[in-house]
Amino acid sequence: MSIKLSVLDQSPLLPGATARDALKQTTELAQWTDKLGYHRFWVSEHHSTKMLAGSAPEILITHLAAHTKHIRVGTGGVLLPHYSAYKVAEVFRVLESLYPGRIDLGVGRAPGGMPGVNYALNKGKYPNVKEYPQQVQELMNYIRGEKHPTYQVSATPLGETAPPIWMLGSSTNSASLSAQLGTSYTFAQFINGDGGIDAMKDYYEHFQPSAQQKEPQGSVAIFVVCAKTEEEAEYLASTLDLQLLRVENGDFRHEYPDPEEASDYPYTPFELERVRHNRKRMIVGNPQQVKGKLEQLAQIYGVEEIIINTIATSAEKRFESYKLIMEAFQEEN
């Protein structure tokens, strides 16, 4: 298979589910995609939201690594401006020691929730995002076992391997910084449907080799809903259409809407235009349609890996979506 398929899971609270249910389903999904042959499984960091249960990805991936066998597990990603680079490095050095060669450290600088999250995580102060590039550089040094020149400390436990750092972003700024520092880079098209191709081009063109890697490595993350028929896929995707619209309008409800509710929603002309625009953040269709669109996406981005985020209110349909996609790609072999 020429394209590596990976997973991003946000532990969504589906209708009638509790946070415990959402985290349990994340674990089962990791096990399922591990068996299917997916390359990596990342979990996100979101705060103060009733829609998503994943607020501590570094803890969740510890659990996931213990309950899977082959798939790489990682963060998509740790919101670094909120934390000490030294502490993050030690957490991931422990994880690498427990599961060598299976851990990814994805980082980002977004707030990860409502504006108050920034203050709650930083003792009432707004994080200085201007220090983010320096933080990432310090993190890279610590992860490799280097001693801080001022503090004269190393991130322990030391080991023969180190988890790779991925920089996650939805703009050219993040791509430029990733290229400058020499990290791997993921564009979050599921967040921003525009500008990804230019961002990835900037990353490849300006990449500078680092101690972590000599060549650029990019990927793109996108919402995908796959079903046996195009009609069913569209029906299932209506849940995401409505939920994205609600979030844009500041309507953070307890749970995702059922497709029945979403299909019957009386969209205004303006809302329909927003739905069409948000479809840039998704790929929807039957297995062959999805396969073709993913291949096209990889080609225009110039990447060899696609990270899939599937949200459907039926757990069975979520799991089936990942299975159908993998089977479509395996048919060519």
Side-chain angles (χ1 to χ4, degrees), residues 260-286:
E260 291 86 352
E261 176 187 354
S263 297
D264 292 338
Y265 182 83
Y267 289 101
T268 67
F270 173 78
E271 289 174 331
L272 285 173
E273 181 57 35
R274 291 308 307 165
V275 168
R276 283 190 288 268
H277 182 78
N278 281 331
R279 278 300 180 99
K280 295 179 181 180
R281 300 158 63 180
M282 302 182 219
I283 288 176
V284 179
N286 63 42

Side-chain angles (χ1 to χ4, degrees), residues 102 142 205:
R102 290 187 57 207
Y142 280 134
E205 289 182 350

Side-chain angles (χ1 to χ4, degrees), residues 234-254:
E234 288 290 340
Y235 177 69
L236 296 174
S238 65
T239 285
L240 200 51
D241 287 332
L242 181 54
Q243 188 67 4
L244 292 178
L245 181 65
R246 285 174 170 174
V247 171
E248 285 184 351
N249 293 333
D251 184 358
F252 297 91
R253 299 200 177 188
H254 177 70

Side-chain angles (χ1 to χ4, degrees), residues 40-326:
R40 64 180 99 238
F41 191 99
W42 284 357
V43 293
S44 59
E45 178 176 343
H46 292 88
H47 300 280
S48 191
T49 172
K50 295 180 179 179
M51 297 184 302
L52 307 169
S55 59
E58 68 278 15
I59 294 177
L60 187 51
I61 66 171
T62 307
H63 177 75
L64 298 179
H67 288 79
T68 53
K69 296 180 179 180
H70 308 291
I71 198 167
R72 297 186 65 90
V73 293
T75 53
V78 170
L79 306 179
L80 193 57
H82 297 315
Y83 312 115
S84 155
Y86 180 63
K87 179 58 178 177
V88 172
E90 290 210 315
V91 167
F92 279 82
R93 286 232 53 93
V94 169
L95 284 167
E96 182 68 17
S97 297
L98 290 170
Y99 307 100
R102 290 187 57 207
I103 302 298
D104 295 324
L105 172 48
V107 298
R109 61 180 165 188
M114 299 298 288
V117 166
N118 283 300
Y119 299 100
L121 287 172
N122 293 278
K123 300 179 181 179
K125 298 179 181 179
Y126 195 87
N128 186 355
V129 293
K130 293 181 179 180
E131 295 178 351
Y132 181 64
Q134 179 183 345
Q135 270 193 300
V136 177
Q137 185 63 71
E138 288 184 354
L139 180 61
M140 293 177 70
N141 295 342
Y142 280 134
I143 281 290
R144 291 196 305 273
E146 295 184 14
K147 187 170 290 187
H148 193 284
T150 301
Y151 307 138
Q152 290 298 300
V153 296
S154 301
T156 55
L158 300 175
E160 296 180 357
T161 61
I165 292 176
W166 286 76
M167 193 166 294
L168 318 177
S170 56
S171 70
T172 303
N173 290 338
S174 56
S176 297
L177 179 58
S178 181
Q180 175 188 335
L181 296 178
T183 72
S184 297
Y185 177 68
T186 298
F187 184 83
Q189 185 161 325
F190 72 99
I191 293 176
N192 180 10
D194 298 304
I197 298 171
D198 289 338
M200 192 63 69
K201 181 180 178 182
D202 183 89
Y203 168 71
Y204 280 121
E205 289 182 350
H206 297 95
F207 179 84
Q208 299 179 24
S210 66
Q212 173 174 296
Q213 61 195 70
K214 303 307 178 186
E215 301 291 336
Q217 182 178 8
S219 65
V220 56
I222 188 167
F223 286 123
V224 181
V225 179
C226 183
K228 293 179 180 179
T229 66
E230 181 181 5
E231 293 73 20
E232 183 184 12
E234 288 290 340
Y235 177 69
L236 296 174
S238 65
T239 285
L240 200 51
D241 287 332
L242 181 54
Q243 188 67 4
L244 292 178
L245 181 65
R246 285 174 170 174
V247 171
E248 285 184 351
N249 293 333
D251 184 358
F252 297 91
R253 299 200 177 188
H254 177 70
E255 58 186 25
Y256 285 79
D258 279 322
E260 291 86 352
E261 176 187 354
S263 297
D264 292 338
Y265 182 83
Y267 289 101
T268 67
F270 173 78
E271 289 174 331
L272 285 173
E273 181 57 35
R274 291 308 307 165
V275 168
R276 283 190 288 268
H277 182 78
N278 281 331
R279 278 300 180 99
K280 295 179 181 180
R281 300 158 63 180
M282 302 182 219
I283 288 176
V284 179
N286 63 42
Q288 289 307 312
Q289 289 173 324
V290 168
K291 177 178 179 289
K293 292 175 182 178
L294 289 176
E295 289 175 332
Q296 182 181 24
L297 188 71
Q299 182 178 10
I300 61 176
Y301 267 90
V303 300
E304 297 179 352
E305 180 178 359
I306 303 292
I307 303 177
I308 296 169
N309 182 357
T310 296
I311 295 179
T313 53
S314 163
E316 178 184 354
K317 293 301 180 181
R318 284 189 81 203
F319 283 49
E320 182 182 62
S321 179
Y322 285 105
K323 181 174 183 287
L324 292 172
I325 296 167
M326 181 58 77

